[in-house]
Amino acid sequence: MRTIPFFNYPYHYQSRGEEFLEAVRNAMQRGAFIMQKDLFDFEAALAAYLNVKHVIGVADGTMALIMALKGAGISPGDEVLVPSHTFVATAAAVHHAGGIPVLVDCRSDHLICPDSTRRAITPRTRAIMPVQLNGRVADMDILCAIAKDHDLKIVEDSCQAVGARFNGKSAGTFGAAGTASFYPSKTLGCFGDGGAVFTDDDAVADHVRLLRDHGRGVTGKVEAWGYNSRLDNLQAAILNVKLKQYDTDIAHRRRLASIYQEHLGNLAGLLLPPAPDSDERYFDIYQNYEIEADNREGLREHLQKKGIGTIIQWGGYAIHQFNALGLNSDLPYTEAMTKRFMLLPMNTSLADDDIVYICEHIGQFYGR
Ligand SMILES: *Cc1c(COP(=O)(O)O)cnc(C)c1O
């Protein structure tokens, strides 16, 4: 029997071990640890890759969200619309920036629902925070139109979608600011925590650069209350190596997604994510392969017995279901989906025939 772990952490290093070690050794020998050349090189390379004016490396994706919101001018009492099907960090960032997260529903592609977003707008709403979940960008034509109609900012949680595109435009570049997370299991993962803010707006960029470094300007003079939240230079050195192979990694993920589609596409008990070539406006990077499944627990148990690891994002809870946060709301699609959603293995350590193997066992479970 094969073992297919949900995520293969050692492979992350083994895939390019010598190159990673060389990059880190080189930076260490130069004594380059904080805010050094490797960081600035990475920021420039990622900005060029995404076609955005500024990329600012920060400590992690959550701090990227907090500083993106502050940079975009979110202030105490502002309501920010956030899909409930997301990592708690999205809503926590709104809270820590002083805003009030207001939760909205998602739809069958598991991304923010424009109708639910429109209905949640009040006179206090200041921004929409689409979460470009699982490596796919929401329909930004509709969301940008809503934002324009109601004079709202857009701050994207694009932590799961670095390099995903909608109408040729990169995730994280549609509004005032966007974000990246370089957490190890993210598509562009480093060997620890890391994140970035993206923006085309010089003023937002200047503000985030201050915030990440204790509020200090270029002369060292403090201009605002800031944080210590810089992207570690050694992680940036690793990310410079990873960015060079990133297109290959994304192509790999998209190929795995089409194999899933080919083998599972007509199974009645499942809802699959949109296929890679199903709509030419979308370029999805498949951070995750999130399905909905009848008898989810049974399927997971069956796959576990065959050595196949699966997981359920956020422990199976949408944010409005964490009673401790006091953000209850009535979100029918999200509510129903939390009983059905799960992730199948999706990462660059997997070969095509691993996916075929997984699909055979899923077919077997549903009696095919
Ligand atoms: C990973 C992630 C983040 C940020 O995570 P960090 O661990 O702080 O880098 C934020 N939002 C979503 C949707 C994520 O998946």
Side-chain angles (χ1 to χ4, degrees), residues 16 59 82 101 126 128 136 158 176 190 230 243 264 291 306 318 358:
R16 274 192 154 189
V82 175
R126 196 60 201 290
I128 306 175
R136 178 178 173 86
S158 41
C190 63
R230 304 159 302 211
L243 187 59
L264 303 176
I291 65 169
K306 306 294 175 190
I358 296 166

Side-chain angles (χ1 to χ4, degrees), residues 49-241:
Y49 183 84
L50 299 170
N51 194 22
V52 68
K53 197 162 171 195
H54 305 278
V55 167
I56 302 143
V58 302
D60 54 62
T62 305
M63 283 308 299
L65 291 165
I66 293 171
M67 294 189 284
L69 287 160
K70 289 194 160 193
I74 298 307
S75 39
D78 290 344
E79 292 181 357
V80 179
L81 306 180
V82 175
S84 190
H85 178 42
T86 182
F87 186 31
V88 68
T90 320
V94 174
H95 174 82
H96 292 304
I100 301 165
V102 173
L103 300 175
V104 304
D105 215 350
C106 64
R107 44 184 192 177
S108 63
D109 67 355
H110 295 183
L111 303 183
I112 190 167
C113 169
D115 292 332
S116 175
T117 302
R118 215 181 269 111
R119 282 195 300 273
I121 295 171
T122 75
R124 291 171 304 282
T125 308
R126 196 60 201 290
I128 306 175
M129 213 170 171
V131 180
Q132 317 298 23
L133 202 63
N134 299 328
R136 178 178 173 86
V137 184
D139 185 330
M140 296 308 291
D141 283 346
I142 304 181
L143 290 163
C144 290
I146 297 173
K148 191 154 177 274
D149 284 350
H150 297 270
D151 195 21
L152 306 175
K153 304 244 177 179
I154 287 191
V155 176
E156 290 168 76
D157 180 344
S158 41
C159 285
Q160 292 200 358
V162 176
R165 297 192 292 270
F166 178 75
N167 283 338
K169 199 168 163 56
S170 299
T173 70
F174 287 86
T179 57
S181 167
F182 307 123
Y183 186 86
S185 59
K186 297 284 160 81
T187 50
L188 188 62
C190 63
F191 294 157
D193 278 313
V197 175
F198 313 152
T199 185
D200 280 317
D201 185 322
D202 296 343
V204 173
D206 287 348
H207 196 60
V208 172
R209 285 203 178 92
L210 281 184
L211 290 178
R212 78 165 168 185
D213 190 34
H214 302 288
R216 292 183 293 197
V218 274
T219 64
K221 190 173 166 199
V222 171
E223 297 173 28
W225 291 115
Y227 303 98
N228 178 1
S229 183
R230 304 159 302 211
L231 176 61
D232 186 286
N233 195 66
L234 297 184
Q235 300 296 347
I238 287 159
L239 286 163
N240 278 320
V241 175

Side-chain angles (χ1 to χ4, degrees), residues 260-302:
Y260 274 129
Q261 179 67 37
E262 184 190 329
H263 289 80
L264 303 176
N266 49 21
L267 266 189
L270 298 181
L271 175 71
L272 304 182
D277 298 311
S278 56
D279 181 336
E280 62 185 18
R281 294 178 302 160
Y282 291 86
F283 181 80
D284 298 351
I285 62 159
Y286 296 92
Q287 162 67 55
N288 296 310
Y289 197 78
E290 186 168 68
I291 65 169
E292 290 181 38
D294 289 354
N295 188 4
R296 173 183 68 185
E297 304 313 323
L299 176 61
R300 293 192 72 208
E301 210 172 292
H302 176 78

